[in-house]
Amino acid sequence: MSEEKGSAEDRGGEPKKVSLGDAMKRMLEKKKQAQREAKGGQGHYSTDTKKLTSQINKKPNNQKKRTGV
């Protein structure tokens, strides 16, 4: 690590100031890289669970309620 160009030790021990935007970009890139490595050779399909959709296919008949019978 001491071989890196422009390291903090070369400038008198002061750490380099990084903007918040740059720091967030680096964190996001590390996160994406970790996700890519974790997926490995999974392929083009996903085995994740999908959001549950409603299984009610037919609406109840409320004609008697509407007509007042």
Side-chain angles (χ1 to χ4, degrees):
M1 284 202 204
S2 62
E3 298 173 357
E4 294 176 0
K5 295 180 181 177
S7 64
E9 293 86 18
D10 294 341
R11 292 189 307 270
E14 293 183 19
K16 181 180 177 185
K17 293 185 179 180
V18 181
S19 68
L20 183 61
D22 291 339
M24 293 303 291
K25 286 179 185 177
R26 288 181 188 158
M27 291 288 286
L28 183 61
E29 185 59 36
K30 287 180 184 178
K31 183 178 176 184
K32 286 182 180 180
Q33 181 67 29
Q35 287 177 348
R36 279 187 243 129
E37 291 174 359
K39 285 185 180 180
Q42 189 177 20
H44 64 279
Y45 60 91
S46 175
T47 58
D48 295 337
T49 57
K50 296 180 181 177
K51 181 181 176 187
L52 181 64
T53 57
S54 177
Q55 295 180 353
I56 300 173
N57 296 326
K58 185 177 179 183
K59 292 184 179 180
N61 186 358
N62 61 358
Q63 183 177 7
K64 291 181 179 179
K65 188 187 296 184
R66 285 186 284 126
T67 56
V69 174

